[in-house]
Amino acid sequence: MTTISQIISNKSKAFNYDGIPQQVRERARHLILDAFGIAFASTRFDFSRHTLDGLQMLSEGTTGDVPVVGMDARLPVRDAAVMNGLLIHGLDYDDTHPSGIIHATASVITAVTALGYKQDTSGQDLLTAYVLGIEVATRLGAAAHGEFHQVGFHPTGLIGAFGCTAAAGWLLGLTEAQLTHAQGITLSFAAGSMEFLQDGAWTKRIHPGWAAQCAITAATLAKNGFVGPRETYEGRFGLFASHLGKQFQLDGLQESINTIGTVWELMNVAIKPIPACHFTHASVDAAAVLHKDLALEEIARIVAKVPAGVMKTVCEPVENKKKPANAYEAQFSIPYSVATGLRYGRFGLDALEEAAYTDATTLAIAEKVESQADPDADFPKYYSGEVIVELQDGRRLSHREHINRGADTRPITNEEIVVKFRENAATVLQADAIDQVESLIRNIEKHNAREVMNGMSKGAQK
């Protein structure tokens, strides 16, 4: 019997640059551009420096060649993947595949650039491996129908590792048999717990980079003859049974995998317009619409309706969500997000500052927010949000965003991605350095991995 991992291996082996439509290549370049802009912005925050300090301690006495984005440092291949993945995902501003509920770019691009730097890979091969990794990761994530979050697993770390494995295996030229082994090896490495939601811990930030280093390790072991399980996904203790329980019905995955190379899930990847959990975006936008018609002192009660499948992530525990203790709790809080949208008409990077999420006025509004499951939500296809404001005089104002911005039918354009990239990069780079980085990514096929990553590290800091 042909296993799912073997089908992925067969598809990966046949995957090539010429088979990727021009429209997909162009979108891929812009997704990568978005990712690196966020990485530059993340270098300003404490989590980036503390992570780098720890990784440098681990690698002390060894040679590290791969550049860290925007931080004038170099690390060994796997450590660089961990670090750069953290920078891309650290502000929770990176792209999301809605059906898979996975931040696939953050893991896949760090895997291919770290391994590609080591191998002096061409830019064309970097782009090809990246697209392949996205196509694999998004399909595997979508097969769970949103269930990983419900039982406490973060798909970006868990599933992202398998997309990275396909990409790393392609770059390493693994045979079909070797790539099948590599996926089985990754099954014992991949991880990602949602426990960070309880207290705003930093662990989610490191999941994409961890996925990348798992994949690099697994693919390299497989290339050198290490043997892994064959039934990685459908086996008795495979990915889905071990994480979602034996009652979970794994339907349609094989058919989905068979469409790799003809159906392009990369085109369904959603760019984030707001630096917070994607599950909060529609509610923020709904609140922002109401902002202009409100006098905050007149608010008596606020109801925020969100899909039932996101309640555990952005509405619970209630006390933490209404009074976030740190930026991460703020990013995963419907009450705080709605309060910020109602008060300011937007949610930007400044909402992650301590002065913002501890502000008494904003917290007083958040305290009035009651989160409810929305029976009309079309989740996980869309991450809807509705905000209803009841005023002291009995009036009722409401607005619903059924389809979140960035979704397939409300896409963020390539031109808008460039604007977002430049805004994020401008937090740490001079204008000429921003131009240089943008040119490197938008013309990635004309460069090799070392030129691209060296350009990420040499930007003129403000």
Side-chain angles (χ1 to χ4, degrees):
M1 181 184 69
T2 301
T3 67
I4 293 172
S5 59
Q6 287 174 316
I7 297 172
I8 292 174
S9 298
N10 293 340
K11 285 289 184 178
S12 298
K13 193 65 179 175
F15 204 81
N16 60 76
Y17 178 81
D18 292 334
I20 305 172
Q22 178 57 39
Q23 180 187 20
V24 178
R25 296 179 200 165
E26 183 68 7
R27 190 62 170 182
R29 295 184 201 105
H30 282 83
L31 295 181
I32 295 169
L33 186 69
D34 178 58
F36 281 118
I38 299 162
F40 281 112
S42 289
T43 62
R44 299 183 299 123
F45 291 81
D46 285 348
F47 65 81
S48 62
R49 173 51 56 189
H50 288 299
T51 305
L52 181 60
D53 288 345
L55 292 172
Q56 286 178 323
M57 179 179 290
L58 281 173
S59 62
E60 190 174 355
T62 63
T63 301
D65 297 326
V66 182
V68 173
V69 177
M71 295 191 76
D72 193 25
R74 291 174 183 261
L75 292 168
V77 174
R78 289 179 293 181
D79 291 343
V82 172
M83 186 67 212
N84 287 330
L86 173 127
L87 291 173
I88 292 171
H89 190 51
L91 297 177
D92 230 283
Y93 207 2
D94 51 314
D95 65 42
T96 308
H97 182 263
S99 296
I101 319 180
I102 182 173
H103 303 276
T105 291
S107 57
V108 176
I109 195 58
T110 50
V112 301
T113 51
L115 186 57
Y117 193 94
K118 179 179 184 293
Q119 299 193 147
D120 197 18
T121 297
S122 70
Q124 181 172 297
D125 282 353
L126 278 185
L127 191 68
T128 304
Y130 164 74
V131 174
L132 172 62
I134 296 295
E135 295 300 319
V136 171
T138 53
R139 284 167 168 80
L140 291 173
H145 307 295
E147 290 301 313
F148 284 122
H149 281 85
Q150 301 307 307
V151 293
F153 294 108
H154 184 214
T156 299
L158 181 64
I159 299 298
F162 295 96
C164 291
T165 300
W170 192 90
L171 286 178
L172 288 169
L174 299 190
T175 66
E176 293 173 14
Q178 288 171 335
L179 184 52
T180 298
H181 287 305
Q183 292 170 77
I185 297 166
T186 297
L187 179 61
S188 285
F189 293 168
S193 168
M194 298 289 289
E195 182 62 20
F196 72 92
L197 289 170
Q198 291 301 111
D199 52 17
W202 291 1
T203 46
K204 180 176 182 286
R205 292 184 168 110
I206 211 164
H207 290 171
W210 188 256
Q213 75 88 22
C214 288
I216 293 169
T217 303
T220 305
L221 288 173
K223 186 175 180 67
N224 286 275
F226 197 98
V227 176
R230 291 175 62 254
E231 295 188 53
T232 298
Y233 307 104
E234 69 271 44
R236 182 164 61 106
F237 299 114
L239 175 68
F240 291 94
S242 62
H243 289 74
L244 299 180
K246 298 186 184 301
Q247 75 284 356
F248 180 78
Q249 297 296 313
L250 183 59
D251 297 324
L253 178 56
Q254 182 171 328
E255 292 77 8
S256 177
I257 295 297
N258 278 328
T259 67
I260 289 177
T262 57
V263 175
W264 301 94
E265 286 297 330
L266 182 143
M267 299 302 292
N268 296 324
V269 170
I271 291 290
K272 278 190 174 185
I274 296 169
C277 176
H278 230 132
F279 297 160
T280 69
H281 288 196
S283 295
V284 170
D285 284 345
V289 169
L290 299 177
H291 157 76
K292 59 183 180 295
D293 297 322
L294 276 178
L296 298 178
E297 64 275 11
E298 296 179 358
I299 296 174
R301 179 173 177 254
I302 303 164
V303 174
K305 292 185 177 181
V306 298
V310 312
M311 294 279 289
K312 290 183 180 179
T313 304
V314 292
C315 304
E316 302 171 5
V318 174
E319 59 274 13
N320 294 42
K321 302 304 183 183
K322 290 191 173 183
K323 192 174 182 180
N326 50 58
Y328 229 46
E329 285 192 349
Q331 289 173 298
F332 284 79
S333 166
I334 282 291
Y336 176 71
S337 299
V338 168
T340 300
L342 288 173
R343 185 178 182 189
Y344 298 108
R346 59 184 292 276
F347 188 114
L349 286 174
D350 53 352
L352 307 183
E353 301 291 342
E354 184 176 3
Y357 61 75
T358 59
D359 182 84
T361 300
T362 301
L363 293 180
I365 301 170
E367 183 60 37
K368 298 177 180 180
V369 176
E370 176 188 333
S371 301
Q372 295 181 0
D374 180 4
D376 299 320
D378 190 8
F379 178 81
K381 185 177 182 180
Y382 302 123
Y383 306 154
S384 60
E386 181 177 0
V387 176
I388 303 165
V389 179
E390 298 177 3
L391 303 180
Q392 292 176 358
D393 62 6
R395 286 182 298 144
R396 191 170 177 270
L397 305 176
S398 68
H399 185 80
R400 178 182 176 80
E401 295 279 320
H402 183 70
I403 300 174
N404 54 292
R405 279 192 296 150
D408 54 356
T409 56
R410 292 185 67 187
I412 304 298
T413 66
N414 289 342
E415 292 73 21
E416 289 171 321
I417 292 175
V418 173
V419 172
K420 177 185 171 184
F421 159 77
R422 297 187 71 86
E423 288 176 350
N424 282 326
T427 60
V428 295
L429 297 183
Q430 302 283 3
D432 57 345
I434 296 172
D435 292 340
Q436 176 192 16
V437 173
E438 181 181 341
S439 178
L440 280 170
I441 301 303
R442 297 185 71 174
N443 299 283
I444 194 170
E445 292 101 324
K446 297 179 181 179
H447 304 282
N448 60 39
R450 291 181 182 174
E451 291 170 338
V452 170
M453 292 308 292
N454 285 337
M456 297 301 120
S457 68
K458 293 180 179 177
Q461 300 285 323
K462 280 186 172 180

